[in-house]
Amino acid sequence: MPQMTERPPVISSASDVEILPLVVQRRVDDRGGIMVIDLAAPDGAALPAFTAGAHVDLHVEDPATGLHLVRQYSLCGDPADRSRYRLGILDAPQSRGGSRALHRLARPGAVLRVGKPRNLFPLYAGARRSVLVGGGIGVTPLLAMAHVLQAQGGEFALHYCARAQDRTAFLEEIAEAPYRDRVHLHFDDAQPFLATRDLPPAAPDTHLYTCGPSGFMDWVTAQAAACRYGAAQLHREDFNAEVDTTGAAFEVVAARSGVTVGVPAGVTIAAALREAGVAVNLSCESGVCGTCLVDVLEGVPDHRDSFLTPEERSAGDQILICCSRARSATLVLDI
Ligand code: FES
Protein backbone atom coordinates (compact mmCIF):
# COMPACT_ATOMS: atom_id res chain seq x y z
CA MET A 1 0.00 0.00 0.00
CA PRO A 2 1.15 3.39 -0.65
CA GLN A 3 2.77 4.99 2.34
CA MET A 4 1.04 8.33 2.55
CA THR A 5 2.32 9.15 5.99
CA GLU A 6 5.22 7.92 8.02
CA ARG A 7 4.64 6.37 11.39
CA PRO A 8 7.10 6.33 14.24
CA PRO A 9 9.71 3.61 13.91
CA VAL A 10 8.60 0.34 15.47
CA ILE A 11 10.43 -2.64 16.79
CA SER A 12 9.20 -5.74 15.07
CA SER A 13 10.09 -9.25 15.96
CA ALA A 14 9.69 -10.48 12.43
CA SER A 15 11.05 -13.95 12.98
CA ASP A 16 7.71 -15.50 12.09
CA VAL A 17 7.33 -13.53 8.88
CA GLU A 18 8.48 -15.04 5.60
CA ILE A 19 10.96 -12.60 4.13
CA LEU A 20 12.54 -12.60 0.68
CA PRO A 21 15.90 -10.97 0.03
CA LEU A 22 15.35 -9.09 -3.24
CA VAL A 23 17.74 -7.01 -5.31
CA VAL A 24 16.99 -3.48 -6.47
CA GLN A 25 17.17 -4.05 -10.21
CA ARG A 26 16.14 -0.59 -11.38
CA ARG A 27 15.45 2.76 -9.75
CA VAL A 28 13.79 5.84 -11.22
CA ASP A 29 13.55 9.05 -9.26
CA ASP A 30 10.27 10.34 -10.58
CA ARG A 31 8.52 13.67 -10.05
CA GLY A 32 6.96 14.60 -6.73
CA GLY A 33 9.65 12.94 -4.60
CA ILE A 34 8.53 9.47 -5.66
CA MET A 35 11.11 6.76 -6.21
CA VAL A 36 10.02 3.84 -8.39
CA ILE A 37 12.00 0.66 -7.84
CA ASP A 38 11.92 -2.80 -9.36
CA LEU A 39 12.87 -5.68 -7.04
CA ALA A 40 13.92 -9.10 -8.35
CA ALA A 41 15.20 -12.39 -6.96
CA PRO A 42 19.03 -12.50 -6.88
CA ASP A 43 19.00 -15.61 -9.10
CA GLY A 44 16.31 -14.25 -11.42
CA ALA A 45 13.75 -16.83 -10.27
CA ALA A 46 10.03 -16.11 -10.54
CA LEU A 47 8.67 -14.25 -7.53
CA PRO A 48 5.62 -15.35 -5.53
CA ALA A 49 2.44 -14.42 -7.39
CA PHE A 50 0.35 -11.47 -6.30
CA THR A 51 -3.06 -10.12 -7.15
CA ALA A 52 -3.93 -6.53 -8.02
CA GLY A 53 -4.26 -4.38 -4.90
CA ALA A 54 -1.67 -6.37 -2.95
CA HIS A 55 1.13 -4.86 -0.87
CA VAL A 56 4.41 -6.03 0.61
CA ASP A 57 6.16 -5.21 3.87
CA LEU A 58 9.64 -3.77 3.50
CA HIS A 59 11.87 -4.53 6.48
CA VAL A 60 14.45 -1.80 6.86
CA GLU A 61 17.31 -1.64 9.31
CA ASP A 62 17.65 2.03 10.10
CA PRO A 63 21.33 2.67 10.75
CA ALA A 64 20.51 6.02 12.33
CA THR A 65 18.45 4.47 15.14
CA GLY A 66 19.38 0.81 14.99
CA LEU A 67 15.68 -0.03 14.86
CA HIS A 68 14.02 -2.50 12.55
CA LEU A 69 11.38 -0.61 10.60
CA VAL A 70 8.51 -2.22 8.76
CA ARG A 71 6.71 -0.25 6.09
CA GLN A 72 4.00 -1.28 3.65
CA TYR A 73 3.99 -0.44 -0.04
CA SER A 74 1.54 -1.39 -2.76
CA LEU A 75 2.72 -3.41 -5.72
CA CYS A 76 2.14 -1.21 -8.76
CA GLY A 77 3.48 -3.41 -11.57
CA ASP A 78 1.68 -5.92 -13.73
CA PRO A 79 0.69 -8.97 -11.64
CA ALA A 80 1.27 -11.13 -14.74
CA ASP A 81 4.98 -10.26 -14.58
CA ARG A 82 6.54 -12.61 -12.01
CA SER A 83 10.08 -11.38 -12.73
CA ARG A 84 9.87 -8.28 -10.51
CA TYR A 85 7.94 -6.33 -7.92
CA ARG A 86 7.51 -2.65 -8.74
CA LEU A 87 6.98 -0.18 -5.88
CA GLY A 88 6.50 3.57 -5.72
CA ILE A 89 7.87 5.14 -2.53
CA LEU A 90 7.19 8.72 -1.57
CA ASP A 91 9.95 10.54 0.25
CA ALA A 92 7.52 12.00 2.78
CA PRO A 93 8.73 15.28 4.28
CA GLN A 94 7.29 14.21 7.63
CA SER A 95 9.15 10.90 7.43
CA ARG A 96 10.52 9.60 10.70
CA GLY A 97 12.76 7.07 9.10
CA GLY A 98 11.11 4.54 6.78
CA SER A 99 10.85 6.23 3.41
CA ARG A 100 13.86 8.43 4.12
CA ALA A 101 15.98 5.37 4.81
CA LEU A 102 14.65 3.60 1.74
CA HIS A 103 15.37 6.54 -0.53
CA ARG A 104 18.91 6.47 0.83
CA LEU A 105 19.45 2.72 0.73
CA ALA A 106 17.54 1.47 -2.32
CA ARG A 107 20.31 1.92 -4.87
CA PRO A 108 20.57 -0.48 -7.83
CA GLY A 109 22.21 -3.67 -6.59
CA ALA A 110 21.16 -3.20 -2.96
CA VAL A 111 19.34 -6.08 -1.27
CA LEU A 112 16.07 -5.33 0.52
CA ARG A 113 14.16 -7.67 2.81
CA VAL A 114 10.63 -8.02 1.51
CA GLY A 115 7.63 -9.84 2.97
CA LYS A 116 5.47 -11.97 0.69
CA PRO A 117 2.57 -10.11 -0.97
CA ARG A 118 -0.71 -9.80 0.90
CA ASN A 119 -3.92 -8.35 -0.45
CA LEU A 120 -6.34 -6.34 1.69
CA PHE A 121 -7.70 -4.38 -1.29
CA PRO A 122 -8.71 -6.89 -3.98
CA LEU A 123 -10.79 -6.35 -7.09
CA TYR A 124 -14.37 -7.53 -6.69
CA ALA A 125 -14.81 -10.61 -8.84
CA GLY A 126 -18.43 -9.94 -9.81
CA ALA A 127 -17.95 -6.40 -11.12
CA ARG A 128 -18.97 -5.64 -14.70
CA ARG A 129 -17.59 -2.12 -14.64
CA SER A 130 -14.82 -0.69 -12.43
CA VAL A 131 -13.83 2.86 -11.60
CA LEU A 132 -10.40 3.47 -10.05
CA VAL A 133 -9.81 6.83 -8.35
CA GLY A 134 -6.32 7.49 -6.99
CA GLY A 135 -4.93 10.51 -5.20
CA GLY A 136 -1.17 11.13 -5.49
CA ILE A 137 0.93 8.16 -4.41
CA GLY A 138 -2.38 6.38 -3.77
CA VAL A 139 -2.50 5.54 -7.47
CA THR A 140 -0.02 2.67 -6.97
CA PRO A 141 -2.40 -0.26 -6.28
CA LEU A 142 -4.73 1.08 -8.96
CA LEU A 143 -1.98 0.78 -11.60
CA ALA A 144 -1.81 -2.96 -10.88
CA MET A 145 -5.61 -3.12 -11.07
CA ALA A 146 -5.55 -1.34 -14.44
CA HIS A 147 -3.13 -3.95 -15.81
CA VAL A 148 -5.45 -6.77 -14.76
CA LEU A 149 -8.68 -5.16 -15.93
CA GLN A 150 -7.10 -4.32 -19.29
CA ALA A 151 -5.87 -7.90 -19.73
CA GLN A 152 -9.34 -9.19 -18.86
CA GLY A 153 -10.98 -6.86 -21.36
CA GLY A 154 -12.91 -5.31 -18.49
CA GLU A 155 -14.83 -2.08 -18.69
CA PHE A 156 -13.00 0.43 -16.50
CA ALA A 157 -11.54 3.91 -16.10
CA LEU A 158 -8.63 5.11 -13.99
CA HIS A 159 -8.91 8.64 -12.61
CA TYR A 160 -5.54 9.88 -11.37
CA CYS A 161 -5.76 13.00 -9.21
CA ALA A 162 -2.72 15.08 -8.34
CA ARG A 163 -1.82 18.65 -7.50
CA ALA A 164 0.02 19.61 -10.66
CA GLN A 165 1.46 17.83 -13.69
CA ASP A 166 5.05 18.76 -12.88
CA ARG A 167 4.73 17.00 -9.50
CA THR A 168 3.04 13.85 -10.76
CA ALA A 169 4.86 10.53 -10.98
CA PHE A 170 4.19 7.57 -13.29
CA LEU A 171 3.17 9.75 -16.26
CA GLU A 172 5.71 8.18 -18.65
CA GLU A 173 4.83 4.69 -17.45
CA ILE A 174 1.13 5.36 -17.97
CA ALA A 175 1.75 6.85 -21.43
CA GLU A 176 3.32 3.54 -22.50
CA ALA A 177 0.92 1.21 -20.67
CA PRO A 178 -1.61 -0.91 -22.54
CA TYR A 179 -4.37 0.73 -20.49
CA ARG A 180 -3.29 4.32 -21.32
CA ASP A 181 -6.54 5.14 -23.13
CA ARG A 182 -8.52 4.41 -19.95
CA VAL A 183 -6.63 6.97 -17.86
CA HIS A 184 -8.00 10.40 -16.99
CA LEU A 185 -5.63 12.87 -15.38
CA HIS A 186 -7.02 15.42 -12.93
CA PHE A 187 -4.90 18.24 -11.59
CA ASP A 188 -6.00 20.75 -8.99
CA ASP A 189 -5.46 23.55 -11.47
CA ALA A 190 -6.94 21.75 -14.48
CA GLN A 191 -9.97 19.48 -14.70
CA PRO A 192 -10.19 18.30 -11.09
CA PHE A 193 -12.15 15.12 -10.48
CA LEU A 194 -15.90 15.64 -10.33
CA ALA A 195 -18.08 12.65 -9.51
CA THR A 196 -21.20 13.92 -11.26
CA ARG A 197 -19.22 14.18 -14.49
CA ASP A 198 -16.62 11.43 -14.11
CA LEU A 199 -18.47 8.52 -12.52
CA PRO A 200 -20.70 6.19 -14.51
CA PRO A 201 -24.27 5.79 -13.23
CA ALA A 202 -24.49 3.79 -10.02
CA ALA A 203 -25.37 0.13 -10.55
CA PRO A 204 -24.96 -3.00 -8.43
CA ASP A 205 -22.28 -4.35 -10.77
CA THR A 206 -20.30 -1.08 -10.94
CA HIS A 207 -17.54 -0.92 -8.32
CA LEU A 208 -15.39 2.01 -7.30
CA TYR A 209 -11.92 1.63 -5.77
CA THR A 210 -10.14 4.55 -4.21
CA CYS A 211 -6.75 4.98 -2.62
CA GLY A 212 -4.96 8.06 -1.35
CA PRO A 213 -4.80 10.16 1.80
CA SER A 214 -7.72 9.50 4.18
CA GLY A 215 -9.28 12.91 3.50
CA PHE A 216 -9.11 12.27 -0.25
CA MET A 217 -10.81 8.88 0.09
CA ASP A 218 -13.49 10.38 2.36
CA TRP A 219 -14.13 13.03 -0.30
CA VAL A 220 -14.30 10.51 -3.16
CA THR A 221 -16.59 8.10 -1.33
CA ALA A 222 -18.87 10.92 -0.15
CA GLN A 223 -19.20 12.15 -3.74
CA ALA A 224 -19.88 8.63 -4.96
CA ALA A 225 -22.47 8.07 -2.23
CA ALA A 226 -24.16 11.30 -3.30
CA CYS A 227 -24.32 9.77 -6.80
CA ARG A 228 -26.17 6.78 -5.24
CA TYR A 229 -23.25 4.36 -5.06
CA GLY A 230 -24.00 1.90 -2.26
CA ALA A 231 -21.54 0.88 0.44
CA ALA A 232 -21.13 -2.54 -1.19
CA GLN A 233 -19.87 -0.88 -4.37
CA LEU A 234 -17.28 1.33 -2.65
CA HIS A 235 -13.83 -0.03 -1.82
CA ARG A 236 -11.05 1.96 -0.21
CA GLU A 237 -7.52 1.23 0.84
CA ASP A 238 -7.59 1.87 4.58
CA PHE A 239 -4.05 0.83 5.21
CA ASN A 240 -3.20 4.27 6.44
CA ALA A 241 -6.35 4.72 8.48
CA GLU A 242 -5.79 6.82 11.53
CA VAL A 243 -6.11 5.07 14.85
CA ASP A 244 -8.71 6.39 17.29
CA THR A 245 -7.01 6.52 20.68
CA THR A 246 -9.69 8.51 22.47
CA GLY A 247 -11.41 7.15 25.58
CA ALA A 248 -10.76 6.35 29.21
CA ALA A 249 -7.43 5.15 30.51
CA PHE A 250 -7.11 1.47 31.43
CA GLU A 251 -4.54 -1.03 32.59
CA VAL A 252 -2.96 -3.85 30.60
CA VAL A 253 -1.34 -6.86 32.20
CA ALA A 254 1.09 -8.61 29.86
CA ALA A 255 0.83 -11.99 31.52
CA ARG A 256 3.70 -13.80 29.82
CA SER A 257 6.06 -10.84 30.15
CA GLY A 258 5.11 -10.14 33.75
CA VAL A 259 4.59 -6.46 32.98
CA THR A 260 1.66 -4.17 33.84
CA VAL A 261 1.23 -0.86 32.04
CA GLY A 262 -1.25 2.00 32.08
CA VAL A 263 -2.74 2.99 28.72
CA PRO A 264 -3.94 6.59 28.76
CA ALA A 265 -5.94 8.27 26.00
CA GLY A 266 -3.73 9.11 23.04
CA VAL A 267 -1.55 6.01 23.48
CA THR A 268 -2.06 2.56 21.96
CA ILE A 269 -1.67 -0.68 23.89
CA ALA A 270 1.22 -1.59 21.59
CA ALA A 271 3.01 1.68 22.29
CA ALA A 272 2.55 1.34 26.04
CA LEU A 273 3.85 -2.23 26.02
CA ARG A 274 6.77 -1.33 23.79
CA GLU A 275 7.68 1.52 26.08
CA ALA A 276 7.78 -0.97 28.93
CA GLY A 277 10.15 -3.22 27.00
CA VAL A 278 7.65 -5.82 25.79
CA ALA A 279 8.37 -7.01 22.22
CA VAL A 280 5.34 -6.56 19.97
CA ASN A 281 4.74 -7.54 16.36
CA LEU A 282 3.52 -4.60 14.32
CA SER A 283 3.03 -3.98 10.65
CA CYS A 284 0.20 -1.73 9.40
CA GLU A 285 -0.53 -0.08 12.77
CA SER A 286 -3.98 0.66 11.37
CA GLY A 287 -5.99 -2.36 12.49
CA VAL A 288 -6.20 -3.93 9.07
CA CYS A 289 -3.46 -6.55 8.72
CA GLY A 290 -3.79 -8.75 11.83
CA THR A 291 -0.06 -8.84 12.63
CA CYS A 292 -0.51 -7.58 16.20
CA LEU A 293 -3.27 -10.03 17.18
CA VAL A 294 -3.02 -11.14 20.81
CA ASP A 295 -5.19 -13.47 22.93
CA VAL A 296 -7.25 -11.86 25.69
CA LEU A 297 -7.14 -13.80 28.96
CA GLU A 298 -9.34 -11.46 31.02
CA GLY A 299 -11.25 -8.24 30.47
CA VAL A 300 -13.42 -6.77 27.73
CA PRO A 301 -11.85 -5.41 24.52
CA ASP A 302 -13.09 -2.29 22.76
CA HIS A 303 -12.47 -3.37 19.16
CA ARG A 304 -11.44 -0.56 16.80
CA ASP A 305 -9.93 -2.59 13.97
CA SER A 306 -11.24 -3.61 10.58
CA PHE A 307 -9.65 -7.07 10.67
CA LEU A 308 -11.74 -9.23 13.02
CA THR A 309 -15.10 -10.60 11.91
CA PRO A 310 -18.23 -9.65 13.87
CA GLU A 311 -18.21 -13.16 15.39
CA GLU A 312 -14.58 -12.84 16.48
CA ARG A 313 -15.31 -9.46 18.02
CA SER A 314 -18.24 -10.88 19.96
CA ALA A 315 -16.10 -13.74 21.26
CA GLY A 316 -13.87 -11.12 22.90
CA ASP A 317 -10.92 -13.47 23.25
CA GLN A 318 -8.59 -11.70 20.80
CA ILE A 319 -7.50 -8.10 20.32
CA LEU A 320 -5.43 -6.07 17.87
CA ILE A 321 -3.18 -4.07 20.12
CA CYS A 322 -2.15 -1.46 17.54
CA CYS A 323 -5.58 0.19 17.66
CA SER A 324 -8.12 -1.43 19.99
CA ARG A 325 -8.70 -0.48 23.60
CA ALA A 326 -10.58 -1.78 26.68
CA ARG A 327 -14.13 -1.46 27.97
CA SER A 328 -13.03 -2.90 31.31
CA ALA A 329 -10.60 -1.27 33.74
CA THR A 330 -8.06 -4.02 33.13
CA LEU A 331 -7.15 -6.28 30.21
CA VAL A 332 -4.98 -9.33 30.74
CA LEU A 333 -3.23 -10.32 27.52
CA ASP A 334 -1.27 -13.39 26.53
CA ILE A 335 1.90 -11.59 25.61
S1 FES B 1 -0.34 -4.04 13.11
FE1 FES B 1 -1.76 -4.44 11.52
S2 FES B 1 -3.60 -4.82 12.63
FE2 FES B 1 -2.22 -4.19 14.14
Side-chain angles (χ1 to χ4, degrees), residues 107-172:
R107 302 284 167 201
V111 176
L112 298 182
R113 300 170 67 233
V114 184
K116 288 191 173 175
R118 294 185 287 173
N119 200 340
L120 304 170
F121 186 47
L123 285 166
Y124 184 75
R128 188 182 63 80
R129 178 189 271 176
S130 304
V131 190
L132 317 175
V133 187
I137 187 68
V139 77
T140 48
L142 308 182
L143 297 177
M145 289 179 170
H147 273 293
V148 169
L149 292 167
Q150 179 73 21
Q152 291 173 346
E155 191 178 334
F156 76 100
L158 167 58
H159 294 273
Y160 183 10
C161 307
R163 288 202 180 147
Q165 186 158 357
D166 62 0
R167 296 169 61 186
T168 302
F170 298 110
L171 292 181
E172 286 76 13

Side-chain angles (χ1 to χ4, degrees), residues 247-267:
F250 56 96
E251 183 181 70
V252 166
V253 179
R256 265 192 287 138
S257 308
V259 169
T260 299
V261 293
V263 184
V267 174

Side-chain angles (χ1 to χ4, degrees), residues 1-6 26-39 54-56 58 71-77 85-92 99 102-103 106 112 136-141 143-144 160 169-170 173 211 240:
M1 129 161 16
Q3 186 87 22
M4 256 72 69
T5 55
E6 278 291 320
R26 169 181 172 269
R27 166 176 174 155
V28 173
D29 288 290
D30 210 335
R31 285 175 292 275
I34 292 174
M35 165 182 78
V36 183
I37 56 172
D38 287 346
L39 302 172
H55 70 275
V56 290
L58 287 193
R71 295 290 182 267
Q72 293 76 39
Y73 296 96
S74 292
L75 293 162
C76 60
Y85 291 156
R86 177 165 292 176
L87 308 177
I89 300 175
L90 173 66
D91 187 5
S99 70
L102 281 165
H103 272 251
L112 298 182
I137 187 68
V139 77
T140 48
L143 297 177
Y160 183 10
F170 298 110
E173 181 170 330
C211 182
N240 289 292

Side-chain angles (χ1 to χ4, degrees), residues 281-293 305 307 320-323:
N281 286 332
L282 290 173
S283 184
C284 73
E285 298 180 77
S286 302
V288 297
C289 76
T291 300
C292 65
L293 192 67
D305 62 277
F307 178 82
L320 290 155
I321 60 172
C322 72
C323 59

Side-chain angles (χ1 to χ4, degrees), residues 12-47:
S12 168
S13 91
S15 55
D16 55 343
V17 179
E18 219 168 341
I19 295 175
L20 310 166
L22 300 183
V23 178
V24 179
Q25 196 181 53
R26 169 181 172 269
R27 166 176 174 155
V28 173
D29 288 290
D30 210 335
R31 285 175 292 275
I34 292 174
M35 165 182 78
V36 183
I37 56 172
D38 287 346
L39 302 172
D43 61 358
L47 298 174

Side-chain angles (χ1 to χ4, degrees), residues 233-253:
Q233 280 79 52
L234 298 174
H235 311 276
R236 50 187 282 168
E237 175 60 282
D238 270 320
F239 215 83
N240 289 292
E242 290 189 5
V243 170
D244 174 9
T245 54
T246 58
F250 56 96
E251 183 181 70
V252 166
V253 179

